[in-house]
Amino acid sequence: MSQSYFSPEVVLLGSRPKTQVYIRSRHVERVLCRRLDEQRGEEYLVLWRKRSIPDPASAPASWHSVNELSRCLHLVQDYLNSCPKPSRKRINENRSPEVSDRRVAAKVRETSSPALSPAASASPSEPQPGSRDIKIFNGVLREIGGYIVAENSSNNDVVLFDATTLPTPDMVERATRTEATIAASRIRYEFTQRLRNISGPPIQLLNTFDESSPPLRFQFIDKCVIRDGVQRADPATLLGCTKCRPDMGQNIGCEYTLKCECLEYAAVDTARLSEEQRERYSLIQANGGEGDTSGMPKRFPYHSPFGNRAECLVPFYLESRHPIYECNVNCGCKGNCKTIVVQKGRQVRLQIFKTRDRGWGLKTLQDLKEGQFIDTYRGEIITDAEATRREEAATSRKDSYFYSLDKFADSQGLQPEDLYVIDGEYMGGPTRFMNHSCEPNCRQYTVSWNKNDFMIYEIAFFAIRPIRAGEELTFDYLDKDDIDESQSTSKSGQEKSSGDGGGAASTDASLKPVECRCGSKKCRKYLWI
């Protein structure tokens, strides 16, 4: 392609004055490089997405400030993550997050770029592709309604260059000598703002190793998002208990497990069985657990240790991994029932933090009791076929955020292809950042408040031992829990026989072992084996 070395910048403005203009992320293909301009400060080279152009070499590319890219910060983050990491001075671990945010906000205001201004008159100078003077290649920039758009132009003043060769070696070399301070600060500020919008107690962000932030592509959600092909159970199946009252159990509802219909499928309390019930239950056990246990006393899931109102999972459920059933909005016991714990949402203060060699992790900022509820695992609920498609399309399989909802597969005769999967890679809650440990302090459990829905339920994390404030929260990625009552084990760290939706939705024999870095005394050394 021929090159024209004339005016470095051609910008056409709308009639309205603007204090700030932005770029829509849907118009950007990717961010290519960075530079430090003496007048404009920290800038990033954007390759524009122009589907109408058959020749990729003619796609426009232009330099923009961080503020102009504030709607595309996830693309800037993608670029920065692809760059070699320069050494950074350790950040003060005691720095207040609130103070940090104020400093970032001030820095953003100080570096805010003015609105696009008309182009300077044509200059006979000969700028090179890597020159600081060039603003745009292969087109012109226009401001429309507060947003910048790029268009190809036949104007002789336009700098033409083969876009497929960008960034040039000179640009790449310059980028290695250019700090990304403003972009990193703005990305961090954006992520902390998102943390403030999450329901429940505050969640902090801490990174004492570098200037990186968790992915902006990740979206925090309060409940799972249902995708195509996934069907919830008919609302008519959401049956509540009819014999329970709000004034039962010292005015906290559902005191008698024989009366609460929500516990119909809950674990049987064998210690309270009559002789007749014991014989009937023995036959059910001999039949592989298949049979009607209605009318038998059931085990209540929660208790309040030491008179504390923080409801905790009772030891039986904590160790046996039976499904946990809660009351619902259609129950006669109403919303203050002591069976309703997970539905109330997270009540624990957490911190997302950067680890030395295991990416991002999650800490508790308060002491937790054994059996205390932490939060659920959320994401997109997709079909098994869609999970397989996403697996095959993934460029890397080192990290898997899939949970197969297979708890009731055997009891209900469900085939693997009929099951649903939670994908928490791009949507979810703070538990998405929990790391693996071969000796974990948390474990995931099946929690349902619709006993008739065997396809969709909650994956809830509970503390399996007392946890001190400041301790990292971990669970075993290979945890197995689908066991019957006769196979239940104590807290000896033994693995169970089958899965509670933990790990990938499907097994691929070609997966290579991944080194485990949990550092526990019982570390198995490798994952995915």
Side-chain angles (χ1 to χ4, degrees):
M1 179 183 293
S2 62
Q3 298 182 6
S4 175
Y5 296 128
F6 291 98
S7 174
E9 185 178 352
V10 178
V11 181
L12 302 179
L13 285 176
S15 58
R16 294 184 298 129
K18 290 287 181 181
T19 57
Q20 181 62 59
V21 287
Y22 307 99
I23 296 175
R24 288 188 171 96
S25 61
R26 68 173 183 266
H27 293 160
V28 177
E29 186 67 33
R30 64 182 182 276
V31 174
L32 299 175
C33 203
R34 69 177 182 268
R35 73 180 182 184
L36 186 62
D37 185 88
E38 293 180 358
Q39 282 75 40
R40 294 186 289 265
E42 195 174 303
E43 291 190 320
Y44 290 82
L45 182 61
V46 167
L47 180 66
W48 291 82
R49 179 176 297 167
K50 304 293 288 183
R51 297 179 180 177
S52 61
I53 302 174
D55 182 13
S58 63
S62 53
W63 292 95
H64 296 277
S65 69
V66 174
N67 286 282
E68 290 172 344
L69 293 169
S70 60
R71 304 293 192 272
C72 312
L73 289 177
H74 61 288
L75 296 174
V76 178
Q77 187 180 43
D78 289 346
Y79 160 72
L80 293 178
N81 289 340
S82 70
C83 297
K85 299 298 186 294
S87 59
R88 299 290 185 195
K89 184 166 58 176
R90 187 178 177 85
I91 301 172
N92 183 5
E93 188 169 359
N94 296 321
R95 185 178 62 188
S96 166
E98 292 76 12
V99 173
S100 173
D101 288 347
R102 288 197 297 270
R103 291 175 180 173
V104 171
K107 183 179 292 186
V108 168
R109 288 194 296 270
E110 291 171 2
T111 59
S112 178
S113 61
L116 295 177
S117 57
S121 58
S123 169
S125 62
E126 297 184 356
Q128 298 301 310
S131 170
R132 300 176 189 273
D133 298 326
I134 295 180
K135 174 72 175 178
I136 181 171
F137 303 98
N138 304 333
V140 296
L141 297 176
R142 299 180 186 276
E143 181 269 324
I144 301 177
Y147 290 94
I148 305 170
V149 295
E151 299 176 356
N152 285 100
S153 175
S154 59
N155 193 313
N156 291 334
D157 291 344
V158 172
V159 177
L160 301 178
F161 194 77
D162 185 352
T164 62
T165 65
L166 294 174
T168 65
D170 179 65
M171 292 178 180
V172 174
E173 193 279 330
R174 181 185 300 164
T176 61
R177 296 181 282 107
T178 303
E179 297 287 341
T181 306
I182 301 301
S185 297
R186 186 60 179 266
I187 291 169
R188 176 75 61 86
Y189 180 72
E190 173 66 22
F191 192 86
T192 55
Q193 289 298 104
R194 295 184 184 184
L195 291 180
R196 287 186 170 89
N197 295 326
I198 300 176
S199 301
I203 300 177
Q204 293 184 4
L205 176 67
L206 179 67
N207 183 352
T208 61
F209 294 101
D210 54 38
E211 295 180 345
S212 66
S213 299
L216 291 179
R217 288 186 177 275
F218 181 76
Q219 178 183 350
F220 287 101
I221 54 177
D222 290 329
K223 59 182 179 180
C224 287
V225 176
I226 305 297
R227 293 305 188 192
D228 291 343
V230 176
Q231 298 292 330
R232 282 192 177 275
D234 190 318
T237 65
L238 185 63
L239 304 176
C241 51
T242 58
K243 301 177 182 178
C244 301
R245 304 185 312 273
D247 60 351
M248 295 173 61
Q250 298 178 339
N251 295 319
I252 53 177
C254 292
E255 182 179 17
Y256 307 108
T257 62
L258 280 173
K259 289 187 175 183
C260 185
E261 295 101 321
C262 293
L263 299 177
E264 179 181 359
Y265 303 142
V268 173
D269 189 349
T270 56
R272 296 167 54 202
L273 292 174
S274 66
E275 286 300 323
E276 179 185 352
Q277 290 173 333
R278 194 176 303 277
E279 291 180 8
R280 182 157 58 96
Y281 187 66
S282 296
L283 293 175
I284 293 175
Q285 291 295 93
N287 193 35
E290 297 294 329
D292 183 14
T293 61
S294 59
M296 297 183 185
K298 304 297 168 53
R299 288 184 177 270
F300 202 80
Y302 303 115
H303 71 139
S304 300
F306 313 112
N308 193 301
R309 284 295 298 165
E311 293 89 349
C312 298
L313 206 58
V314 298
F316 172 83
Y317 281 99
L318 202 63
E319 299 167 15
S320 68
R321 309 295 288 279
H322 285 274
I324 301 161
Y325 294 94
E326 295 189 353
C327 287
N328 57 61
V329 295
N330 294 328
C331 291
C333 56
K334 303 306 179 184
N336 195 41
C337 178
K338 57 187 174 183
T339 66
I340 299 178
V341 173
V342 172
Q343 292 173 78
K344 293 178 182 177
R346 176 180 59 87
Q347 307 296 318
V348 177
R349 292 182 290 113
L350 301 174
Q351 179 187 84
I352 299 172
F353 74 105
K354 185 68 175 288
T355 68
R356 184 178 300 278
D357 57 358
R358 293 174 295 118
W360 296 94
L362 191 68
K363 287 181 181 179
T364 175
L365 296 181
Q366 65 187 67
D367 292 343
L368 300 179
K369 300 181 183 300
E370 180 181 75
Q372 187 169 346
F373 169 63
I374 298 170
D375 202 355
T376 61
Y377 189 85
R378 301 185 287 277
E380 304 170 83
I381 300 183
I382 58 178
T383 62
D384 179 76
E386 173 62 15
T388 300
R389 187 196 68 78
R390 294 187 184 190
E391 276 188 317
E392 293 174 347
T395 56
S396 171
R397 297 189 182 184
K398 181 179 180 180
D399 297 323
S400 175
Y401 297 94
F402 287 165
Y403 265 92
S404 181
L405 297 175
D406 59 359
K407 183 66 173 180
F408 303 101
D410 292 339
S411 63
Q412 300 302 312
L414 302 173
Q415 299 302 311
E417 60 270 19
D418 298 328
L419 300 174
Y420 298 146
V421 177
I422 300 177
D423 184 359
E425 182 171 6
Y426 296 112
M427 291 183 176
T431 57
R432 187 263 197 192
F433 297 95
M434 288 177 67
N435 278 318
H436 162 82
S437 175
C438 297
E439 198 173 2
N441 53 22
C442 301
R443 191 177 291 148
Q444 67 275 23
Y445 296 81
T446 293
V447 178
S448 174
W449 45 86
N450 183 355
K451 63 183 181 182
N452 297 311
D453 190 349
F454 304 104
M455 301 293 291
I456 298 179
Y457 46 84
E458 296 291 344
I459 301 293
F461 288 95
F462 289 82
I464 58 175
R465 62 168 175 79
I467 304 175
R468 299 296 299 271
E471 188 175 345
E472 181 177 2
L473 301 176
T474 59
F475 71 104
D476 191 339
Y477 286 4
L478 300 182
D479 190 28
K480 310 295 182 182
D481 86 341
D482 192 9
I483 57 174
D484 59 37
E485 189 172 342
S486 64
Q487 294 173 310
S488 64
T489 63
S490 64
K491 293 175 287 184
S492 60
Q494 298 178 26
E495 291 189 356
K496 311 303 189 292
S497 60
S498 183
D500 180 25
S506 59
T507 302
D508 187 342
S510 65
L511 285 177
K512 296 181 179 179
V514 176
E515 181 183 358
C516 180
R517 299 178 179 178
C518 73
S520 69
K521 294 180 180 179
K522 298 182 180 180
C523 181
R524 296 188 294 263
K525 306 303 179 185
Y526 292 96
L527 289 173
W528 319 135
I529 55 175

